[in-house]
Each structure stands twice: as C-alpha cells, then as structure tokens.
Amino acid sequence: MSSSTPRVERDSLGELELPGSVYYGIQTARAMANFPVSGRSQPAILIRAYILVKKAAALVSMELGALDRARGEAIVRAADDVLGGGLADQFPVDVFQAGAGTSTNMNVNEVLANRALELLGRRRGDYAHLSPNDHVNMAQSSNDTFPTACHLAAMLAARPLEAALAHLVAELRRKAGEFSAVRKTGRTHLMDALPVTLGNEFGAWASAVERAAERVAQRREDLAEIPIGGTAVGAGQNAHLRFRELVVRRLSELSGLALVQCRDSFEGLQSRAQLAAFSGALKELALELVRIANDLRLLGSGPVAGLGEIILPAVQPGSSIMPGKVNPSLAECLDMVAFQVVANDTAVALAAQAGQLELNVMMPLISHNLLQSFSLLINY
C-alpha cells in the first residue's frame, strides 16, 4: 500500500479512515477529534521520556522471553528513530485530553508500532503482526507509564535549569564583589535605616537564589522513585515478576538517571505528591526571582524622581512619546514569567489533590504545567 493511500483502522468503537502518510493510528485520531482544546501538543521532552520508557520495556520484555526478538528489535529501532529526531510531527494529541494520559500513551504506542511495522517490511496498520497494545505496550499501562515519563521529563528538564541557576548565582556573587565598597542607605519598611553596601544586597540575592536552587535539586531527587511496572492499579498484573526491577535498571541506563522502584507501587499510582512538591519548589524559586526583580526595578527607578541608585542595562526604548526614557523591561518580563509559574503551581496542586482511590487521572494537566514552568524559567 502506498503511503499516500488512506488506510482504515478498527477499534472497539468501530472504524476510522486515516491518511496513509501518518504513523499514528485510530486512538490518536479519536483523541484529536475529541479534544481540540488548546492547540498545544505534549512537550517534546515528555515525548522523549515516554519513548525511553517504551524502549526500556521492549528490551526487558525481550530479555524475559515475553517478546520475540524480531518484533522487539523493530520497536527498539523505531524508538531510536524518534529519539534521533524523527517523526516529531506524529504526536498531535492535545495536552488537555482523556484522564491518566491514555491518549498520549496510545499515540506513542501507535507511532512506534507503525514505524516498527515499516522496518519489518509490513504495511502501517498491520496490527495483527505487531500491535500497539499487545507488543509496544506489553506489561504496561497508561497508569504507570505516564507518571513514569513525567518523572523522567521533569528530572531531565531540571538539568538546564540548575545550570542556569548556578550561572545566575555566580554572576550575582561577582557583582557583590564588584560593589562591595559601594555604600548606600539600607531601607526597612521602605524607609531609611542603617547603611549597607550594594554588595551586601547583591550577595543576599545570590544566597536566596542558591537556596531556591538547592530546594529544586532536592525535589528532583524525590522523582527518582518511578511507578513503572505497577500497570493498571499498582499490582503489576500482566507483567513478569522481574519486569519492574529490570525495566527500572534499563531505564536508568538509557536516561542517565539513578532511578529506583517505588517503595509502594499502589501509592505510586495514587499519589502525585512528589510532582506537586517539585512544582512547589519552582514556585518558591519564582517568588524569590520576583522579589529580586522588583528590588532591581525599585533601585533603578527615576532616574531623577525615584531612587536612581543603580542603572539597569538599556535593552529597548521605553516610550513612544518620551525620547530617552528606558524601562526595566527584563525585570518586568521576569515578573510575568514568575507569575505564570505560580499560576502553574496552583493548577498542579489542584490536580494533585484530585486523584481518587487507585489513580490520579489528572496527570496530563500536571505534566503540562510543570514542564511549562521549566520551559519558561529556562528560556528566560
């Protein structure tokens, strides 16, 4: 069948015709029709983390003899294609979707299955030979793979943020040294108090950012516990007894992260407290950044009628009718970024408490807001 020829796929609800050129399948198509909400698909880092989960699972299933080598190696090769940057446009499911991330899980399963079929010389959609559900999703469920992928994505996203924070701390400390002899009025209640140096203020800002970065690092380590292997409710139904142990080890190797099994696999599916705590650490960082940005705006106010104690770098004209006016544009932008991070944390907190019994189904919202916070902070 030509890749331009439409194909028909079937599921328990009936049939759908799909463009022959796409690698996703019927469940992805249903999700696209059901949830045209935001126009935003899952972040690339989450898809990458999800592909790592699928690759690890395929390798372990082959090792355990549950998956034959021909199909398993084709799935691994398909995963490597995506990890290498291929098929990036084949993950269109909206971030607002069915609970528990089922739509994203099936999107990933279908893309890998169809690419694997192609590598085996089969036509896309030939699921009798290699199934998204029975082979790519072997010994897995949306309920354990989505939170596992989210933990991985957040830990991977933390690396560039921590590097950026370390650079910020170093620059603030450098400025503290540069301004160590610049004496100025200290202020409490916004009123004149005892003298300080400008270096004292910059040094305090450096310490505040450093402390916030330490909290981010601590919360990142909490995410090393992953619930993979718990399948639907935490008991690990349909998974080999050694699957959990081996897939955690393999996923650690593939991701470069020191991952461990959940101490309680049932809790690992029910509770999203670790992700909520990580989001909270980003909120705490955002609050410190707002405070520092607003101090800079205040110290730079004027230059005649304000404090005018520092001069912030001019990055763009500040007015269309007042030539020469320069605004604290970067600090203002930082405020807006930080306010959004605080708002994202509120959404994460609400979603984290909204789990019922054996599962929190609000995972897609948690991952979207948490990863957006990382993206905003890193890009700024």
Side-chain angles (χ1 to χ4, degrees):
M1 180 185 295
S2 167
S3 63
S4 62
T5 304
R7 69 178 189 270
V8 174
E9 292 193 11
R10 298 166 184 80
D11 62 10
S12 59
L13 299 184
E15 296 183 347
L16 278 182
E17 184 177 272
L18 289 90
S21 60
V22 301
Y23 285 83
Y24 57 76
I26 187 169
Q27 292 209 40
T28 302
R30 290 198 190 282
M32 293 168 68
N34 289 334
F35 312 114
V37 180
S38 69
R40 288 172 284 179
S41 55
Q42 294 291 349
I45 195 167
L46 180 69
I47 297 299
R48 180 176 183 81
Y50 227 124
I51 298 296
L52 287 173
V53 172
K54 298 296 177 181
K55 179 178 179 179
L59 289 167
V60 169
S61 291
M62 283 191 288
E63 183 180 346
L64 293 171
L67 181 63
D68 67 275
R69 301 210 69 83
R71 290 181 178 86
E73 289 174 0
I75 293 169
V76 169
R77 287 177 60 197
D80 286 338
D81 283 351
V82 178
L83 294 171
L87 308 181
D89 60 344
Q90 297 299 304
F91 304 97
V93 175
D94 202 279
V95 295
F96 297 95
Q97 57 177 271
T102 300
S103 299
T104 291
N105 183 41
M106 287 309 302
N107 184 187
V108 171
N109 289 336
E110 289 171 342
V111 171
L112 291 182
N114 281 311
R115 178 56 183 147
L117 283 166
E118 197 171 56
L119 291 169
L120 291 169
R122 300 271 181 162
R123 61 176 179 82
R124 298 176 205 172
D126 186 7
Y127 299 150
H129 185 76
L130 193 157
S131 164
N133 206 52
D134 297 339
H135 298 112
V136 181
N137 200 55
M138 180 178 287
Q140 305 155 63
S141 164
S142 302
N143 301 351
D144 64 339
T145 58
F146 198 104
T148 296
C150 189
H151 279 219
L152 259 65
M155 294 181 78
L156 294 171
R159 288 172 170 170
L161 176 61
E162 290 173 14
L165 291 174
H167 177 72
L168 176 58
V169 169
E171 286 299 300
L172 288 170
R173 294 237 183 263
R174 185 178 66 79
K175 282 294 184 183
E178 181 181 335
F179 298 144
S180 61
V182 180
R183 295 178 63 80
K184 65 183 290 294
T185 300
R187 296 179 179 84
T188 59
H189 303 262
L190 289 179
M191 305 301 289
D192 295 348
L194 296 174
V196 297
T197 69
L198 189 57
N200 294 147
E201 290 180 331
F202 271 82
W205 295 337
S207 295
V209 174
E210 188 172 53
R211 192 183 299 273
E214 289 169 357
R215 288 193 290 267
V216 170
Q218 290 166 0
R219 295 307 188 188
R220 169 177 49 78
E221 289 305 308
D222 290 344
L223 298 184
E225 274 192 48
I226 54 173
I228 189 69
T231 65
V233 295
Q237 289 96 339
N238 299 324
H240 190 283
L241 289 176
R242 295 195 63 208
F243 178 81
R244 184 176 306 167
E245 165 204 349
L246 294 177
V247 81
V248 169
R249 185 186 307 165
R250 181 72 74 164
L251 198 48
S252 296
E253 295 169 359
L254 293 175
S255 66
L257 300 169
L259 306 171
V260 296
Q261 297 180 55
C262 273
R263 67 184 74 179
D264 185 321
S265 61
F266 293 94
E267 185 257 356
L269 267 61
Q270 293 175 11
S271 175
R272 300 276 65 87
Q274 293 151 302
L275 289 168
F278 202 12
S279 177
L282 297 184
K283 179 191 73 174
E284 292 165 6
L285 168 63
L287 295 176
E288 289 286 36
L289 293 176
V290 167
R291 181 178 65 79
I292 294 168
N294 286 341
D295 279 355
L296 289 168
R297 293 171 67 198
L298 189 60
L299 291 174
S301 62
V304 175
L307 295 183
E309 292 186 352
I310 62 173
I311 299 174
L312 296 174
V315 296
Q316 65 182 45
S319 172
S320 59
I321 62 171
M322 292 175 280
K325 185 174 185 289
V326 176
N327 297 332
S329 302
L330 293 177
E332 292 165 348
C333 179
L334 178 54
D335 277 356
M336 288 185 270
V337 165
F339 296 161
Q340 185 62 58
V341 171
V342 173
N344 288 348
D345 178 66
T346 299
V348 169
L350 291 171
Q353 63 81 42
Q356 296 87 30
L357 301 176
E358 274 60 63
L359 183 66
N360 185 310
V361 302
M362 303 299 171
M363 274 298 306
L365 180 69
I366 293 173
S367 65
H368 166 61
N369 282 277
L370 180 60
L371 295 174
Q372 185 192 61
S373 292
F374 274 113
S375 178
L376 291 170
L377 290 167
I378 292 166
N379 288 342
Y380 180 84

